[in-house]
Amino acid sequence: MSLSTGSLIVQPVKSLEKAIERFDREGKSSEIEAGPVPELRRLALAFDSLTERLELAGNRRYELIGALTHEIYTPLTVLTGDLEMLQQNEREPTPELYDKLLQQTAKLTRLTKDLSTLSKGELGQLSINRRSFSMRSLLQNVQEELTFNPLKSSCQIRLDCPANLPNAFADPDRVGQILTNLISNAIRYAPGGTISVRAWTNANYLWIAVADDGIGIAPDEINHVFDAFWRSNRARHLAPEGRGIGLSLVQQLVRLQGGQIDVESELGKGSTFRFSIPLA
């Protein structure tokens, strides 16, 4: 190996070594002197791509931690303030106050449960117990539960489901969780409106669509609706108590059961979420 040929190899290797050391020390990527050797150029490009993805993942992790801290902090602040006032006899222990405390506790419970489901799904540890079940019966149960919930009675839920709808092959508890999240989400962003739930079959899959006539989603935001903790500014204004976890959970639960999910929306006119699960 000649001196000039050796330098063509040694310099890029040293540059890559320095970049690795910096990333290990600071978590930041560095420009790599790739050189003319094809193998080293491919190695440098691969390392650049890897460090870029790791940096994005790190930034996303910090964003998620910040969002999670906020979601936990809000109900805890309300609980702490009310309990301190009770302790110091500055408030009367009325039934309304106890209802308020229970609501905040329920928020923390739901948040903990959703986060547990979300993390188990990402780690591949979420249990899915598939079996044949009647989707029509499940849809009717969810419709009844949400229709007669006093907090959601301002919306009308319409069910369009054929009487001879075949059984699905999935986890009925998880599918119920999917439906509850999608319909509750539609109710939250279409207050006083109409929610339409339709079921049909296509090839080997059973499809469900949940449509609302609410605020809709802007074209530049629709690609983010399944991101954990992401919420549009309009959604935050209309429903500040939302957590931005439900749709991320829905996507995970659908995929884990061999289905797919998509969304169509028009700003100011409403949204339609469709998902599929296998037929029995």
Side-chain angles (χ1 to χ4, degrees):
M1 181 186 296
S2 66
L3 183 61
S4 59
T5 304
S7 64
L8 291 177
I9 298 174
V10 172
Q11 286 304 117
V13 169
K14 284 185 175 181
S15 177
L16 180 59
E17 183 181 19
K18 289 180 180 178
I20 293 173
E21 288 177 351
R22 186 188 179 197
F23 190 81
D24 184 52
R25 184 177 63 253
E26 303 176 13
K28 296 180 180 179
S29 58
S30 304
E31 186 175 349
I32 301 173
E33 183 183 337
V37 181
E39 289 79 3
L40 291 177
R41 289 184 66 84
R42 286 197 295 271
L43 180 60
L45 289 173
F47 181 77
D48 278 342
S49 176
L50 174 63
T51 54
E52 183 178 350
R53 290 200 303 272
L54 288 173
E55 282 189 55
L56 288 173
N59 292 336
R60 179 62 178 155
R61 184 174 69 250
Y62 288 123
E63 290 174 6
L64 290 177
I65 291 172
L68 174 58
T69 302
H70 173 74
E71 297 298 337
I72 293 176
Y73 181 77
T74 303
L76 277 179
T77 301
V78 176
L79 281 170
T80 302
D82 287 334
L83 288 172
E84 285 180 347
M85 293 179 74
L86 278 173
Q87 185 184 45
Q88 297 167 9
N89 296 319
E90 294 179 5
R91 287 198 68 172
E92 291 293 326
T94 62
E96 291 76 17
L97 177 58
Y98 286 129
D99 285 343
K100 180 182 177 184
L101 294 174
L102 283 172
Q103 286 177 10
Q104 298 304 319
T105 304
K107 284 183 182 180
L108 287 172
T109 302
R110 288 196 302 270
L111 179 60
T112 303
K113 182 179 179 181
D114 286 351
L115 286 171
S116 176
T117 304
L118 192 66
S119 62
K120 285 180 180 178
E122 291 182 347
L123 293 171
Q125 299 173 350
L126 191 62
S127 61
I128 299 292
N129 301 311
R130 295 182 179 88
R131 62 179 176 85
S132 175
F133 68 95
S134 170
M135 175 59 78
R136 180 178 172 82
S137 297
L138 179 61
L139 285 168
Q140 289 173 333
N141 290 339
V142 172
Q143 179 195 26
E144 183 177 348
E145 177 188 342
L146 293 177
T147 297
F148 291 101
N149 186 324
L151 297 177
K152 304 182 173 96
S153 59
S154 61
C155 274
Q156 184 178 9
I157 303 174
R158 294 178 179 172
L159 181 58
D160 178 9
C161 179
N164 60 346
L165 188 71
N167 280 9
F169 186 75
D171 186 328
D173 291 334
R174 298 302 186 187
V175 176
Q177 192 175 358
I178 292 168
L179 287 167
T180 300
N181 268 300
L182 288 178
I183 298 173
S184 297
N185 209 55
I187 290 171
R188 184 178 294 119
Y189 299 119
T194 299
I195 312 301
S196 172
V197 183
R198 187 167 70 93
W200 72 98
T201 59
N202 183 11
N204 296 321
Y205 289 89
L206 192 154
W207 283 85
I208 306 291
V210 177
D212 65 66
D213 52 5
I215 62 174
I217 307 165
D220 60 330
E221 296 177 333
I222 202 162
N223 290 331
H224 298 287
V225 294
F226 295 111
D227 293 347
F229 294 105
W230 182 88
R231 302 182 70 217
S232 70
N233 290 330
R234 285 178 299 279
R236 291 179 185 277
H237 176 73
L238 185 62
E241 76 282 359
R243 291 160 289 151
I245 303 176
L247 290 178
S248 180
L249 270 179
V250 163
Q251 185 184 58
Q252 277 198 11
L253 293 174
V254 169
R255 289 178 174 176
L256 282 170
Q257 298 182 93
Q260 55 183 312
I261 185 168
D262 59 51
V263 56
E264 288 183 358
S265 186
E266 187 173 351
L267 197 60
K269 294 189 176 181
S271 305
T272 299
F273 286 85
R274 291 181 296 268
F275 72 93
S276 66
I277 53 175
L279 286 169

